Amino acid sequence: GFDAEIVRRHHGARIGRRREAATTSRAAYVEPILRSSLGYEFPPLTIDAETDRGAERLVGTSVLCFNLPRYALGLPFAPEARDDDGWLDLIVFEKAGPLHALRYLWLVFRRLHLRRRGVEHRRIRAARVESTSVVPVQLDGDPGGRIEPGAGGAWSVEVVPSALQVLTTRGDSGERT
């Protein structure tokens, strides 16, 4: 949705003639945010999800999925999200337009968004997002394709517990965990 449009514009501005991404900064997001605020149409999105409440259909204009509590600039979109519990936290903002997006951002900043009408929060195992319009998708701050109209152009996410093994080292000893 809207945040993916910002990422799409930002990424497009970073790609040079050699097709290599230039370095970036927080200030580099100002123009894409302003242009997206003026030009993004906030098309409706339909979300079919396997939630902690059972199968549900939700409708909104921005959809975000998290497995960590913070997002861009450390904003607490899903403060209770955990990376090891087998769930994703789904946030759906229902209302369209840049003024509503700004209001939602202000509520997130103040940690009030999950208690407001127009914001849906669910813990999910899987979700499928469809739209009758082309909608950009972003994955952790990078362009992730787009939702296309029709069933073949939907975007899906699913939790696969313990599907990834991670090797880390601890401290100066280099001990593996």
Side-chain angles (χ1 to χ4, degrees), residues 21 24 68 99 101 110 130 133 144 147 157 167 169:
T24 191
L68 295 171
L99 294 178
R110 295 182 57 215
E130 295 179 301
S133 301
I147 297 168
V157 63
L167 176 66
T169 58

Side-chain angles (χ1 to χ4, degrees), residues 45-156:
L45 301 164
T46 301
I47 307 98
D48 289 308
E50 295 175 29
T51 77
D52 54 353
R53 303 174 186 185
E56 286 191 69
R57 175 167 276 189
L58 303 165
V59 176
T61 60
S62 288
V63 176
L64 300 106
C65 287
F66 300 93
N67 71 338
L68 295 171
R70 295 184 176 273
Y71 172 68
L73 303 175
L75 292 170
F77 275 86
E80 302 299 318
R82 292 186 36 197
D83 62 350
D84 62 354
D85 63 359
W87 293 94
L88 291 172
D89 282 63
L90 174 75
I91 309 290
V92 178
F93 296 114
E94 294 178 351
K95 295 188 178 182
L99 294 178
H100 287 294
L102 186 59
R103 177 179 167 269
Y104 290 138
L105 181 61
W106 177 244
L107 290 171
V108 169
F109 182 75
R110 295 182 57 215
R111 298 176 183 254
L112 299 172
H113 61 296
L114 299 180
R115 296 182 289 221
R116 295 291 196 247
R117 273 192 300 171
V119 179
E120 297 291 337
H121 172 240
R122 302 288 190 279
R123 295 177 44 100
I124 65 168
R125 297 265 189 224
R128 178 179 171 90
V129 183
E130 295 179 301
S131 180
T132 57
S133 301
V134 174
V135 179
V137 174
Q138 64 101 351
L139 304 170
D140 197 25
D142 289 314
R146 57 195 203 174
I147 297 168
E148 299 279 349
W155 182 83
S156 298

Side-chain angles (χ1 to χ4, degrees), residues 4 7 26 29 41 44 65 77 84 92 118 165:
V7 167
R26 289 181 177 169
Y29 281 90
E41 295 181 9
C65 287
F77 275 86
D84 62 354
V92 178
Q165 293 182 2

